[in-house]
Amino acid sequence: MNRNKREKEYYSIDVGDSTFMVLKRYQNLRPIGSGAQGIVCSAYDHNLERNVAIKKLSRPFQNQTHAKRAYRELVLMKCVNHKNIIGLLNVFTPQKTLEEFQDVYLVMELMDANLCQVIQMELDHERLSYLLYQMLCGIKHLHAAGIIHRDLKPSNIVVKSDCTLKILDFGLARTAATGLLMTPYVVTRYYRAPEVILGMGYQANVDVWSVGCIMAEMVRGSVLFPGTDHIDQWNKVIEQLGTPSQEFLMKLNQSVRTYVENRPRYAGYSFEKLFPDVLFPADSEHNKLKENVFYCCSECR
């Protein structure tokens, strides 16, 4: 395609504090969110005749780490096809040559809100259970494909007004191959599993811990383990769930084990204290959420 014709396909528009250079098929851009991986806006796609979300990756090639994250997100979104995983509709760059190449735009399905907003609503047990079920379906599909998300948190889970749920943001995701060194700097602090906090090797079950923390937050309306740093995060976990067994401690390296063993021992809170009955009003004939919470918390521990 000649240069002039290509240039006519794009236009520039300021979205929040960023400038987007997008295809003319995308109009009415409005900022809807931002994060470490990029800035997201809503737009109307005249080709598909539907609203979409456009994510501009933030400086994806400034270093090797950013480049890997951008590549992972693009590849995984192209490969994964599941109703509870956000769908990739298009990907483009306005640059014309490899030397100029610096911006990547991902076009995705547009949802109505993220789970941070939903948690603040008073949802009934049926809707809470349905949202949890969809989270687990999406994670099960990823794990079956050998993919660990590694950054599950409410802001990376989006919903529509009809209560359908999708998981997004795969910048930290990776394959669950054995024998590979796994970085401990994954998962937003509140949702990190003990294996991650303590620098142990970990597997796909770290995502299940994150789902458990998210589910508890949905029920309680507040973060379950609001640590201020990784040490305080560990203290919050053992204060509420209890000091782990000696068998678990023996899996730690010597310096970490010494620190953990020198901490006061905690018996942990009872289920009734973590999730008091007042959180489960008997106003639904399908009141199964309490049993679901108990089962999942037992599995996480």
Side-chain angles (χ1 to χ4, degrees):
M1 183 181 299
N2 68 59
R3 188 182 185 92
N4 289 336
K5 184 175 180 181
R6 183 178 177 85
E7 286 178 347
K8 289 179 181 178
E9 288 187 338
Y10 290 85
Y11 73 102
S12 176
I13 182 171
D14 290 334
V15 180
D17 296 328
S18 182
T19 299
F20 275 53
M21 179 70 73
V22 297
L23 292 162
K24 289 184 177 178
R25 62 187 278 188
Y26 303 114
Q27 296 290 329
N28 303 325
L29 274 66
R30 300 285 186 275
I32 58 175
S34 64
Q37 301 300 315
I39 299 169
V40 184
C41 69
S42 63
Y44 183 76
D45 183 346
H46 283 274
N47 286 22
L48 297 180
E49 297 183 339
R50 60 180 287 188
N51 291 317
V52 297
I54 303 177
K55 179 176 183 178
K56 179 182 180 181
L57 297 183
S58 297
R59 297 175 293 173
F61 310 118
Q62 69 171 336
N63 56 44
Q64 189 177 58
T65 298
H66 279 67
K68 283 183 177 179
R69 290 182 179 180
Y71 179 73
R72 283 174 181 164
E73 182 159 27
L74 175 59
V75 170
L76 290 175
M77 289 185 69
K78 282 175 64 68
C79 294
V80 177
N81 181 21
H82 188 270
K83 63 181 180 180
N84 297 124
I85 306 294
I86 201 73
L88 181 66
L89 303 176
N90 192 14
V91 58
F92 63 87
T93 177
Q95 280 85 49
K96 289 85 178 172
T97 67
L98 186 60
E99 289 73 26
E100 296 176 302
F101 185 32
Q102 62 180 353
D103 294 326
V104 177
Y105 294 85
L106 305 178
V107 183
M108 302 167 284
E109 301 168 278
L110 179 65
M111 306 292 280
D112 294 323
N114 64 38
L115 211 57
C116 295
Q117 299 160 294
V118 174
I119 287 172
Q120 306 306 316
M121 303 175 185
E122 293 186 6
L123 298 180
D124 59 44
H125 295 165
E126 288 76 22
R127 287 182 174 84
L128 285 173
S129 296
Y130 183 46
L131 292 173
L132 174 61
Y133 169 75
Q134 292 177 90
M135 259 186 275
L136 292 173
C137 286
I139 289 302
K140 181 180 180 182
H141 182 78
L142 291 177
H143 290 177
I147 298 167
I148 311 175
H149 187 283
R150 303 201 304 174
D151 195 24
L152 285 173
K153 54 186 176 182
S155 60
N156 283 345
I157 298 170
V158 287
V159 298
K160 296 203 71 145
S161 57
D162 62 0
C163 217
T164 56
L165 174 148
K166 295 179 186 287
I167 297 167
L168 50 73
D169 205 332
F170 294 91
L172 287 176
R174 67 165 297 164
T175 58
T178 58
L180 294 176
L181 179 64
M182 303 288 251
T183 174
Y185 192 69
V186 295
V187 187
T188 299
R189 186 187 310 119
Y190 299 158
Y191 311 97
R192 288 180 192 163
E195 297 95 321
V196 178
I197 298 172
L198 299 174
M200 303 169 65
Y202 58 85
Q203 299 176 353
N205 56 1
V206 298
D207 285 342
V208 180
W209 175 278
S210 300
V211 171
C213 293
I214 294 168
M215 177 185 62
E217 189 172 335
M218 292 171 68
V219 175
R220 293 159 52 103
S222 60
V223 175
L224 184 60
F225 305 122
T228 55
D229 55 46
H230 71 282
I231 293 176
D232 186 51
Q233 187 68 27
W234 172 248
N235 291 335
K236 291 286 196 299
V237 170
I238 62 173
E239 286 168 12
Q240 297 191 59
L241 299 186
T243 301
S245 67
Q246 191 63 31
E247 179 184 2
F248 178 87
L249 298 180
M250 292 306 294
K251 298 177 182 178
L252 304 175
N253 69 50
Q254 184 59 55
S255 60
V256 176
R257 184 164 75 244
T258 299
Y259 169 78
V260 172
E261 289 177 335
N262 286 334
R263 295 291 303 150
R265 294 193 66 84
Y266 295 93
Y269 298 160
S270 66
F271 181 83
E272 287 70 23
K273 183 172 182 178
L274 286 171
F275 301 99
D277 285 343
V278 69
L279 298 176
F280 305 94
D283 59 357
S284 170
E285 61 184 25
H286 303 294
N287 189 359
K288 300 296 183 183
L289 186 58
K290 187 170 184 178
E291 289 83 354
N292 292 341
V293 171
F294 179 76
Y295 174 76
C296 289
C297 285
S298 298
E299 288 296 301
C300 286
R301 291 184 64 182

